[in-house]
Amino acid sequence: MKQKYDIRFLICQIAVAVLGAIGFFAGGRPEGLVVYLPDMVLSIAMIYFNYSLCKWANRWHGFWNERNPGSGEPSRYFQLSGKVGGWFLYLLGLGCAGLAWII
Amino acid sequence: MTRGQLLVQKRREKGLTRSDLAKIFDVSEEKVARWEAGELPDSEYLLRLADVLGISVEDILREDAETSPEESAQAASSEACKEALEVQAASSEDAAPGVPTDDAGNDAPVGRTVRRGGADAPSGANGYSPLERKVGYAILAIFAVFFLVAAAVKIAGYVTRPRELTEENYREYLEIEIVPETSYNPEAYIVRVTALADISDLSLTLSLVFPIIALNEEVTRTVSFSGDLSEGEQREEQVALPGISLGARWESFSVSGGLR
């Protein structure tokens, strides 16, 4: 059930991102997509796969820096910071798309 | 077997940790530890403790609690599992349990967490939390409405755009410059027209008056442009004069054309 709700939200995120991308064409600035599209792909992936990315980062850090690395389970703060970063990138992209629509 | 040992044994047989017992009875883990060290639990907990652990109140009250023959057999048969249970109890008493989520994405009720081989339970999951979904839907709705309104305004602007070039709106679509051919004592001027948008069937007529210094009189010249101009395209016409003129003024002007 959770996965169904998550997929639904993910589709809404992607749909709004696509609406924003159309604005770059409507505003006569298709070159803005060079930055917008990677930003959207990266931010949406960061938000959805936040836990896995944090765990991978911890595991890699432990493997590289520690003789006996632990499980790599990320703390709540690490996960929260990943989420905040992902949403910041996503909203920044949407803001730029909004400007492309109106200017 | 002492009271404390009995409580420990029964707790482990039931697969409970000290933390679980503390939560069931709404007491601190230290209190449970003191019970297991031999302290007699308060009377308000005796009945429920006996019920949870599957023993009698008398067994708890006895200083040296002796198990019944049936309980001894059960204890013997579970000897192989006891070591694994102790490992789990030790690891669960030290580490914070993970927070699994149920189908609705909410945190599961606190209860037993079974761990294998000492590995930590997942501390999260991919996807979104319920609060994140709620706030996210609100933000997405705001942006979606904004984008749709902007799209509607753009479409309306395109549909109602002016279709003809007139003397009222020509400044938005045409840039007209009159520049001297030389910067010093010019005797000829260049009339330059730049299209700021695509224009079809342009018909532009300019009548310019140049005061000639040497002749002390004014000379009128008419310049015309026609045809199709695409955005950014320029047309030029040279106007030759009989003498030096330091400027020009427009006498008459007419423009027509179609806007794409």
Side-chain angles (χ1 to χ4, degrees), chain B:
Chain B
M1 184 184 291
T2 63
R3 177 193 304 127
Q5 289 169 340
L6 174 67
L7 292 178
V8 171
Q9 179 192 332
K10 291 300 170 187
R11 175 175 62 75
R12 287 177 179 172
E13 281 177 10
K14 295 290 180 183
L16 297 171
T17 64
R18 275 190 200 154
S19 174
D20 295 332
L21 269 189
K23 285 190 175 87
I24 290 169
F25 292 98
D26 198 24
V27 298
S28 63
E29 282 188 45
E30 287 81 18
K31 195 159 202 169
V32 177
R34 287 203 302 274
W35 293 348
E36 293 181 348
E39 181 183 295
L40 180 65
D42 297 336
S43 55
E44 61 188 295
Y45 303 116
L46 283 176
L47 269 175
R48 213 160 150 228
L49 186 60
D51 184 48
V52 168
L53 297 182
I55 52 178
S56 66
V57 174
E58 286 171 330
D59 291 332
I60 300 175
L61 291 173
R62 245 180 263 137
E63 191 65 37
D64 281 318
E66 292 173 0
T67 55
S68 62
E70 297 81 35
E71 288 170 345
S72 299
Q74 280 182 9
S77 68
S78 68
E79 197 64 35
C81 303
K82 200 183 283 185
E83 193 174 341
L85 282 172
E86 283 176 6
V87 169
Q88 284 183 8
S91 63
S92 68
E93 281 163 12
D94 293 335
V99 185
T101 57
D102 60 16
D103 286 341
N106 301 310
D107 290 346
V110 175
R112 285 188 289 146
T113 50
V114 178
R115 295 179 185 78
R116 298 182 187 85
D120 292 337
S123 61
N126 287 328
Y128 315 94
S129 64
L131 177 65
E132 193 179 355
R133 279 200 292 268
K134 274 184 202 155
V135 176
Y137 274 127
I139 293 172
L140 292 180
I142 291 169
F143 273 101
V145 165
F146 176 79
F147 290 152
L148 290 171
V149 167
V153 167
K154 282 261 186 214
I155 291 169
Y158 180 79
V159 167
T160 59
R161 72 189 187 282
R163 307 299 174 97
E164 285 186 10
L165 198 63
T166 63
E167 288 176 22
E168 286 77 32
N169 69 11
Y170 79 93
R171 286 188 183 85
E172 292 178 39
Y173 306 101
L174 279 177
E175 189 180 332
I176 302 171
E177 297 171 278
I178 304 167
V179 295
E181 204 173 39
T182 57
S183 57
Y184 181 74
N185 291 341
E187 291 189 15
Y189 280 76
I190 294 173
V191 180
R192 186 180 300 134
V193 170
T194 307
L196 301 177
D198 292 336
I199 300 170
S200 59
D201 295 328
L202 172 69
S203 174
L204 173 64
T205 305
L206 278 172
S207 182
L208 301 168
V209 176
F210 296 88
I212 307 298
I213 297 170
L215 301 176
N216 201 23
E217 63 183 36
E218 292 180 338
V219 168
T220 303
R221 293 285 184 269
T222 303
V223 179
S224 296
F225 298 91
S226 60
D228 295 343
L229 272 78
S230 50
E231 187 178 347
E233 189 179 339
Q234 281 184 342
R235 297 269 178 87
E236 289 181 356
E237 281 270 346
Q238 192 194 42
V239 177
L241 300 170
I244 296 168
S245 176
L246 297 179
R249 70 168 192 276
W250 293 19
E251 189 176 58
S252 66
F253 165 79
S254 71
V255 64
S256 67
L259 296 170
R260 291 180 212 158

Side-chain angles (χ1 to χ4, degrees), chain A residues 1-2 5-6 9-10 12-13 16 20 47-49 51-52 71 73-74 76 79 83 87 90-91 94 98 101-102, chain B residues 99 101-105 120-128 132-133 136-137 139-140 143-144 146-148 150-151 154:
Chain A
M1 277 290 272
K2 178 181 184 299
Y5 296 140
D6 285 348
F9 186 78
L10 181 67
C12 288
Q13 262 194 315
V16 173
I47 294 169
Y48 188 81
F49 295 109
Y51 170 75
S52 293
S71 65
E73 282 301 318
R76 287 177 191 262
Q79 291 183 62
K83 281 281 184 179
W87 274 105
Y90 183 73
L91 293 177
L94 287 185
W101 267 109
I102 61 176
Chain B
V99 185
T101 57
D102 60 16
D103 286 341
D120 292 337
S123 61
N126 287 328
Y128 315 94
E132 193 179 355
R133 279 200 292 268
Y137 274 127
I139 293 172
L140 292 180
F143 273 101
F146 176 79
F147 290 152
L148 290 171
K154 282 261 186 214

